[in-house]
Amino acid sequence: MPAPTTWKERLAPKIREDWAREIDIFETQIELRQQDKIEEKLFAETRLRRGVYGQRYDNGTRHNGREAQKLPFPERATKGPHTLWDAPGMMRIKIPFGKISAEQLDVMADLAEEYSDAILHVTTRQDIQLHFVHIEDSPDLMRRLAAVGITTREACGNSVRNVTACSYAGTCNTQAFDVTPYANALTFFLLGHDDTQDFGRKFKVAFSGCKDEPCGLTNFHDLGLVAKIRDVGGKSVRGFEYWVGGGLGSVPQPARLLAEFVTEEELMPLTQALCRVFGRLGEKENRSRARLKFLVKKLGIDEFRRLVLEEREKLRPDPRWTDYLSDLSATEERPKKPGMPLAPDATTGGAFAAWRRTNVRQQAQSGYAVATITLPLGDMSSSQARAISDLARTYTGDTLRATVDQNMLLRWVPEADLPALHAALLAAGLGEAGAGTLSDVTACPGTDTCKLGISSSRGLAGELRRQLHVLGAEVPDAAKDLHIKCSGCFNACGQHHVADIGFLGVSRNVGGRRVPHFQLVVGGQWTENAGAYGLAIGAVPSKNVPKVVERLTRHYSESRQEGETYRRFVERIGKKSVRGLIEDLIELPSYADDPSYYSDWGDPREYTIDDMGVGECAGEVVPFAQMGLAASEREVFEAQLLLDQGQAKDAARRAYQAMLSAARALTREKNANLGDDPDEIISEFKARLVDTRLFWDQYAGGKFSQFLFGMHASGLAVADAEGAHEVIEEAQLFIDAAHQCYTRLGGASSV
Amino acid sequence: MHFEKFALKLYVAEPRDLQLNSVTIAFHDFISEDALGELLIDTVDYTHVHEGPGIVLIGHASDYALELSEGRAGLSCSRKRDHVPVSERAADVLRRTLAAAAKLEARAELALRFRTDELRLTITDRLALGSMPDAFAAVTEAWAPVLKRAFGNEPSLSREGNGRQPFTVRARAECTASPAEVLQRLG
C-alpha cells in the first residue's frame, strides 16, 4: 500500500469523526473564500472560531520608522476586512485548564517548527499560540492537533474562549475540591453549543479551587466559579460560588455574585441559561460595550439574576448536565512514581536551593511536589518543548499544565527527584529560578505581533527581566515577591490591572513625534483570585520604566510596615506620593538630546502607531441563523463535489443535510430549545415557519419547503446521479428561499 | 528534493562578540530596502530563549534567523513554501543563505564572519519524510553535487539527530572562501 500523501489520509484513523468533519468543513470554507463564495466578514468570524487569528501587518502595510511601506503580498482573496490572504497570522491553540500531555506537547513542538517560527508561546489564559502561520497550513495543523485530542474550535471570535482553571487543581492544599473534572465537562458542554453561537463578544470562564489564592483569577472573568463545599442535612455537597460579569480591558469590572452556591448538578444548566441571556440581550452593535460585564451593569445584578433563573426554567433537560458526575475520576492524574521525600543528603545549596525556594511547591499528596518551569515571556523553543515532554514522561507521568503567568508546571514530581529534575531543566536552559517573583514578568504580545498593540510590552518585559537578573541579589528582599505585568494596550491581555506594578502601553505626541509610553498602574491584587484592580498613576516614557521599577521597589522595601502588602502600602502612602516618586521620570528629553526615547524596547525603528490595525478580539457579529445558512451553502457545494466524484448517494444525503441545516438555523430563531433530531426539525420548521407562511414564496407558495419534506419522507431514497443532481438543485432553491425567509424575519428575532 | 519545509544553517566564525541588537537593525533594514529580493515581513527577538531562534527575519516564503540552537550561532534560512522546481531547491536555498550571509558580513558594525566549511540542513517536512524509504540517500543525491560546486571539493555528509528531533544532515568540506565568493562560484 502506498504511503499516505496527505496529513488527512495519514491521521484519519486517529481523529474523532466529528472533529475530522469540522476540519474538512473549514478546509472547504477556505476554498470557498478563495473563490469569493463566502462573504469576507462571515469568513473572518468562521476562521476566528477555529482559532485562526490576524497578526500585525496583515493589511499589507508596515512602517519602517520613516514611512509606511507596502508589503507586496500576492493579490488574492482576503481573510477578512483589511486582512490579506497571504499575510501570516496567529494560531491559538485552546488548552482547556492548561492541561497538556507529553504527546500533545511533542506535536505542538513539531507544528511550531513546521508552520511557525519554532516557538511555542504560553498565554495568560493557558492557551498556546503559534505565530506567523499561513492560513493554508491551518487545516493540517488542526488535524495534527486533533489526532492528539486538541481542538482549536472557538479559540477566538465571539465564543466561549478557553476555560481556564487553577493550574494546581488536584494537588493543592487550599482547594475545596479538584475543579478539573468540572472545567473539563463545562469546556466540552459549551463547545459548539447552540446557545453559545449568538454572542456579541467573547465569553471567558475560569475555575478556582479556593477563594484566597490567585491561581484561578475568577474575579475578572465573564463567569468565575469558585469551588465550595456546603453542608446540607449533614452531607457535604459540592458546588460553586457563581460570579459573573468580571472583566479587564479599558473598563475593568470586578465580577458580581450571581449565586452563593450553585450545586454541581446545576452548574451546566445555569451556565447554559446565562449564555442564552447573554446571546439574546448582549450588545451586538457597539463592540466596545458588548462584553457581559456591560450587560450585567446595565441590568443590575438582581435583574440579570432574575432573567438567568427565568431562562433556566425554560431549558429543555439535557443528560450532559449531569452525566459526567458519575465519573469525576476521569480526569484524575496518576503519578509515574511513588512519592518520596527529598533525601537529607541531597544538594541543598546554590542554584538548586534558589530554584526550589521559588519554583517548587509541595503537593497535598505526601512526597510529591509541583515544579514550575520558568518560561521567559511565556516562550519555549520546539527543542525545549521536547525536553519538557521528556521530563514529564520520566518523572511525572504526563502531567503538565500551562499557567496564567505564562509558565509550565510539572506536577507529581517525587520530591526525591527534584535535584535530578532541576539538573535536567538547567541542561535545557529551563532551570531558571524566580517563578512568580519580580523578575518573572508577564506580558501580552503587544506590538511584536498584535494588531492592537500600542507599545512593546514584550520588549519592556524582556528588558525588565534582563535588568532584574543583572541586579539579582541586589533586588530588595521585600520586593522580590511582587508581580509585574505589562499590556501593550488598554485591552489588558497582560492583566496589568491585577499586578502590584502594572504597565499599560500608550503613546504620547511630543513635539510632533510619537513617543512610546507606559501608563503605570499600582496596587492591583493578585491574590483572592485577582481581588482588586490597581490605580493609574501616570504615563512614563517606555525607556524610563526600568528606573520606575527600581524606585518603586526600593521605596517599598525601605518604607513598608511589617507584613504590609504592596496594595496596602500604596493605599497608605497615597497615589500622589507614588506619583511624586517618579515625577521626574515622566519628563521626556527632546529628540535632539536623546533620540533613543523615540524608539520602543526591542525595536530600533523610530516609534509610530501607524502599524496598528483593526483588532480581531471582537470578531465579527454573525448571528447563529446566518452561520447556519452559510453552513448549508457549504454543504450544497460539498454535495456537488461528491456528485462529481461519482458518489451519488452521499451527494444526495449532503444536499438533504444542507436543507436541514438551513431549516434548523431559521427555526431556531423561533424556538431556542430546538434540538438536532431531523424529525423534530421538520416538525418545528413546518409548524413555526411554513404553516405560518413565513417560509413562503410570493409566487411558488410552499413549493420549496416541499423539497425538504419530500426528501425527508422518502428516507433519502436516491439511487442514481440524476436523482442526486435533482436533490442538489432543489437544495439550492431551498436555501435561496431560506435567505428570503431570514430577511423577512428581520435578520434576527428574539428568542 | 521533494521537501517543502527545510532550513540551511551557516555558522558564525567567531561568535564571542555577537552584536545581536545590531542584527535586529540589519534585519529591519533588509525589510525596508528589499535587500534579499523576496517578500520580508517582520523581525522578532527571541534572544531570551536559551539556544533558541535568536533574531528572526520573517518572510513570506523564507524566514532568516541569526539563531543560537546547538549553542552555536549561525545564520539559517528556512524555506516554508516552495515554488522552486524540485531539482533547483538545494541550490536555491544555498544561494539565499549565502546571499543573506554576505549582506550581513558587508555591514561593518556587525563584525560578522561566517564559516563556509560546515553547513547544517534540517528538514521539518515530516509528511514527506514519513513517506520516503531512505531520506538520507535522497538528500545526498540532491545536495552532494550542489555542495561540491559551491565548496569546490567533495563534501562529506552525515545524518544526525533522533526520531523526535528534526531530520538533520551535516555537510563538511574544505573551504575558506567567504559566503560572497561561494555564492559567485555557485552561480
Side-chain angles (χ1 to χ4, degrees):
Chain A
M1 202 170 75
T5 55
T6 63
W7 285 113
K8 184 176 171 177
E9 283 174 31
R10 186 188 284 193
L11 298 175
K14 293 185 176 176
I15 304 179
R16 271 171 57 161
E17 203 176 315
D18 54 339
W19 288 9
R21 169 91 183 115
E22 285 172 9
I23 299 167
D24 289 348
I25 287 171
F26 182 57
E27 200 163 37
T28 304
Q29 286 163 327
I30 287 177
E31 196 179 325
L32 288 171
R33 176 64 201 138
Q34 286 180 290
Q35 296 172 14
D36 206 17
K37 289 180 178 164
I38 298 184
E39 195 266 329
E40 70 173 1
K41 278 192 177 178
L42 179 61
F43 182 74
E45 180 61 15
T46 300
R47 72 172 159 76
L48 287 167
R49 289 194 193 182
R50 300 242 52 110
V52 179
Y53 209 81
Q55 238 183 257
R56 211 164 174 90
Y57 314 121
D58 65 9
N59 60 358
T61 306
R62 181 180 187 276
H63 207 279
N64 66 8
R66 298 178 297 279
E67 59 184 350
Q69 289 189 308
K70 269 266 175 270
L71 296 173
F73 287 107
E75 289 196 10
R76 300 169 74 182
T78 54
K79 292 187 279 191
H82 317 291
T83 311
L84 302 182
W85 189 262
D86 283 293
M90 179 264 279
M91 185 81 222
R92 182 174 293 148
I93 303 171
K94 246 177 156 178
I95 308 290
F97 44 96
K99 187 173 192 293
I100 305 173
S101 71
E103 184 189 25
Q104 290 172 334
L105 191 58
D106 276 344
V107 167
M108 287 189 275
D110 289 354
L111 298 179
E113 254 166 10
E114 286 186 53
Y115 304 118
S116 174
D117 53 6
I119 288 289
L120 294 83
H121 175 71
V122 176
T123 75
T124 52
R125 296 205 71 257
Q126 297 176 308
D127 300 291
I128 299 243
Q129 288 181 181
L130 306 180
H131 291 94
F132 306 106
V133 176
H134 196 285
I135 188 166
E136 286 167 17
D137 287 332
S138 56
D140 278 345
L141 193 155
M142 290 171 191
R143 286 187 180 103
R144 294 170 74 178
L145 289 169
V148 290
I150 296 175
T151 177
T152 62
R153 184 171 184 183
E154 293 169 7
C156 310
N158 299 322
S159 56
V160 179
R161 301 293 186 85
N162 196 30
V163 173
T164 60
C166 167
S167 47
Y168 293 96
T171 65
C172 178
N173 287 295
T174 60
Q175 67 183 14
F177 54 84
D178 182 2
V179 296
T180 306
Y182 302 93
N184 186 56
L186 193 62
T187 293
F188 290 101
F189 176 68
L190 296 179
L191 185 71
H193 195 289
D194 285 349
D195 289 323
T196 66
Q197 305 303 304
D198 253 337
F199 294 166
R201 282 296 302 269
K202 58 191 166 187
F203 183 85
K204 295 178 177 177
V205 183
F207 281 84
S208 180
C210 71
K211 190 147 180 152
D212 298 334
E213 296 292 325
C215 322
L217 306 175
T218 49
N219 195 37
F220 62 71
H221 279 76
D222 296 287
L223 172 59
L225 299 157
V226 181
K228 200 170 180 180
I229 290 180
R230 183 174 270 189
D231 187 87
V232 179
K235 196 180 155 201
S236 287
V237 175
R238 284 182 173 194
F240 296 89
E241 265 183 25
Y242 200 93
W243 295 83
V244 298
L248 296 178
S250 54
V251 189
Q253 294 282 337
R256 289 165 167 80
L257 190 63
L258 188 133
E260 275 190 19
F261 190 76
V262 172
T263 61
E264 55 185 2
E265 291 84 3
E266 270 300 298
L267 172 63
M268 292 208 195
L270 194 67
T271 305
Q272 186 183 342
L274 168 67
C275 289
R276 209 180 258 189
V277 171
F278 179 46
R280 190 177 71 220
L281 301 178
E283 172 66 44
K284 302 288 197 306
E285 297 297 324
N286 182 353
R287 317 313 311 286
S288 63
R289 313 286 294 177
R291 290 289 296 273
L292 182 68
K293 62 187 175 186
F294 295 105
L295 181 62
V296 173
K297 195 171 178 191
K298 184 173 129 191
L299 296 173
I301 186 65
D302 293 336
E303 174 63 3
F304 184 75
R305 182 186 299 114
R306 189 190 69 74
L307 287 166
V308 171
L309 294 175
E310 183 182 84
E311 196 66 44
R312 164 67 187 94
E313 292 310 310
K314 293 181 193 167
L315 295 181
R316 171 180 171 150
D318 186 335
R320 293 180 299 164
W321 289 346
T322 51
D323 276 356
Y324 75 101
L325 294 172
S326 60
D327 189 15
L328 289 177
S329 63
T331 55
E332 212 166 77
E333 293 168 339
R334 284 164 191 81
K336 173 154 185 170
K337 298 174 161 193
M340 290 278 283
L342 189 65
D345 59 346
T347 314
T348 51
F352 174 71
W355 176 77
R356 189 176 167 219
R357 196 162 44 244
T358 54
N359 291 45
V360 174
R361 186 158 144 174
Q362 276 196 322
Q363 288 191 192
Q365 297 83 2
S366 172
Y368 290 103
V370 177
T372 303
I373 303 170
T374 317
L375 300 176
L377 311 186
D379 290 345
M380 62 185 135
S381 68
S382 290
S383 301
Q384 287 180 318
R386 289 190 194 98
I388 292 172
S389 65
D390 281 345
L391 294 174
R393 287 187 179 100
T394 304
Y395 293 106
T396 73
D398 225 8
T399 51
L400 291 157
R401 294 218 186 173
T403 75
V404 291
D405 39 16
Q406 300 181 300
N407 291 321
M408 291 279 284
L409 299 187
L410 281 161
R411 299 147 52 103
W412 298 97
V413 182
E415 289 181 48
D417 285 341
L418 286 169
L421 173 67
H422 183 237
L425 286 169
L426 279 175
L430 294 164
E432 186 182 300
T437 67
L438 190 66
S439 63
D440 191 14
V441 183
T442 306
C444 70
T447 51
D448 272 21
T449 52
C450 177
K451 295 205 264 191
L452 296 172
I454 294 173
S455 299
S456 177
S457 42
R458 274 169 62 89
L460 173 63
E463 183 61 22
L464 289 174
R465 282 181 60 87
R466 193 189 66 74
Q467 294 200 16
L468 289 165
H469 276 283
V470 171
L471 285 173
E474 290 175 43
V475 174
D477 277 346
K480 279 180 179 159
D481 291 333
L482 299 183
H483 291 88
I484 302 178
K485 295 180 183 293
C486 310
S487 297
C489 76
F490 53 77
N491 285 298
C493 300
Q495 303 171 345
H496 62 272
H497 293 293
V498 294
D500 296 297
I501 302 172
F503 294 101
L504 146 71
V506 292
S507 80
R508 293 287 181 268
N509 198 334
V510 182
R513 291 176 191 274
R514 285 275 175 185
V515 189
H517 278 62
F518 278 91
Q519 176 75 242
L520 170 66
V521 177
V522 296
Q525 189 180 0
W526 184 237
T527 53
E528 294 179 27
N529 282 303
Y533 303 150
L535 305 166
I537 301 296
V540 185
S542 294
K543 292 294 169 79
N544 278 343
V545 170
K547 286 183 197 152
V548 168
V549 170
E550 194 272 328
R551 282 198 198 167
L552 295 181
T553 53
R554 183 157 40 85
H555 186 64
Y556 171 58
S557 58
E558 287 169 359
S559 311
R560 76 171 191 146
Q561 293 173 351
E562 183 68 28
E564 193 175 37
T565 63
Y566 196 71
R567 179 173 179 78
R568 294 280 169 250
F569 172 74
V570 167
E571 282 172 354
R572 178 168 62 78
I573 67 170
K575 194 173 165 178
K576 197 173 166 191
S577 167
V578 178
R579 170 108 181 181
L581 285 171
I582 59 159
E583 197 71 57
D584 61 314
L585 297 176
I586 292 171
E587 297 298 316
L588 182 75
S590 71
Y591 185 79
D593 286 342
D594 193 345
S596 71
Y597 277 83
Y598 295 75
S599 293
D600 211 340
W601 291 110
D603 190 338
R605 291 173 293 172
E606 195 159 301
Y607 178 76
T608 174
I609 56 167
D610 290 356
D611 284 331
M612 287 174 66
V614 180
E616 294 191 329
C617 307
E620 300 289 345
V621 175
V622 182
F624 179 93
Q626 207 177 330
M627 284 295 234
L629 292 175
S632 66
E633 294 205 57
R634 187 246 315 142
E635 284 168 330
V636 170
F637 175 76
E638 289 171 342
Q640 189 65 57
L641 294 181
L642 287 166
L643 185 61
D644 292 349
Q645 291 160 13
Q647 300 174 50
K649 276 190 178 170
D650 289 343
R653 273 198 199 96
R654 191 63 56 86
Y656 161 75
Q657 183 57 49
M659 288 191 272
L660 205 58
S661 296
R664 182 167 189 272
L666 291 175
T667 311
R668 208 176 164 281
E669 291 283 299
K670 295 288 176 192
N671 173 8
N673 275 329
L674 183 64
D676 50 16
D677 172 58
D679 290 335
E680 186 193 352
I681 294 169
I682 297 287
S683 156
E684 282 287 293
F685 172 62
K686 183 172 181 305
R688 292 177 189 265
L689 294 173
V690 180
D691 293 348
T692 55
R693 298 201 166 192
L694 285 166
F695 192 93
W696 198 258
D697 185 85
Q698 191 179 351
Y699 305 106
K703 178 180 169 184
F704 301 126
S705 59
Q706 294 306 318
F707 294 157
L708 173 61
F709 297 151
M711 189 68 185
H712 183 71
S714 77
L716 317 187
V718 173
D720 58 10
E722 196 180 330
H725 181 78
E726 197 175 313
V727 180
I728 290 171
E729 293 283 329
E730 289 177 353
Q732 269 161 346
L733 290 169
F734 182 93
I735 290 164
D736 285 342
H739 277 286
Q740 300 306 320
C741 173
Y742 182 53
T743 308
R744 215 168 292 132
L745 290 172
S749 61
S750 61
V751 175
Chain B
M1 200 173 68
H2 291 267
F3 307 112
E4 292 223 335
K5 297 172 193 299
F6 55 96
L8 199 63
K9 179 176 178 181
L10 279 180
Y11 293 90
V12 172
E14 288 175 21
R16 273 188 293 276
D17 299 317
L18 217 47
Q19 304 293 317
L20 289 171
N21 287 344
S22 302
V23 172
T24 303
I25 295 171
F27 281 174
H28 276 284
D29 289 348
F30 284 5
I31 298 171
S32 68
E33 292 161 8
D34 189 18
L36 301 181
E38 62 176 301
L39 174 53
L40 303 172
I41 301 165
D42 197 13
T43 71
V44 202
D45 183 345
Y46 290 123
T47 51
H48 52 277
V49 178
H50 174 77
E51 297 188 1
I55 308 284
V56 187
L57 172 57
I58 303 286
H60 174 58
S62 324
D63 291 343
Y64 295 83
L66 203 302
E67 56 112 303
L68 307 163
S69 66
E70 318 160 83
R72 296 178 67 189
L75 175 72
S76 69
C77 171
S78 309
R79 294 294 284 167
K80 302 192 282 191
R81 55 187 61 78
D82 229 320
H83 302 298
V84 174
V86 169
S87 60
E88 288 293 314
R89 285 184 188 170
D92 175 72
V93 73
L94 182 55
R95 273 191 207 99
R96 290 176 196 275
T97 316
L98 290 165
K103 293 267 182 198
L104 289 173
E105 284 197 350
R107 294 179 72 111
E109 76 278 14
L110 297 179
L112 258 181
R113 289 290 170 267
F114 291 96
R115 293 169 52 172
T116 53
D117 58 348
E118 183 182 2
L119 286 167
R120 186 192 69 179
L121 173 68
T122 310
I123 297 166
T124 53
D125 195 338
R126 291 174 174 85
L127 181 67
L129 282 167
S131 57
M132 200 166 274
D134 189 347
F136 181 64
V139 168
T140 305
E141 189 185 341
W143 278 85
V146 174
L147 294 176
K148 187 177 174 186
R149 184 151 43 110
F151 289 144
N153 58 62
E154 203 74 48
S156 74
L157 275 74
S158 56
R159 165 86 208 270
E160 289 183 359
N162 59 39
R164 289 172 65 229
Q165 298 294 341
F167 182 95
T168 301
V169 174
R170 192 167 299 278
R172 288 192 173 85
E174 286 178 17
C175 187
T176 56
S178 70
E181 289 164 338
V182 177
L183 183 60
Q184 202 169 22
R185 201 185 289 161
L186 189 61

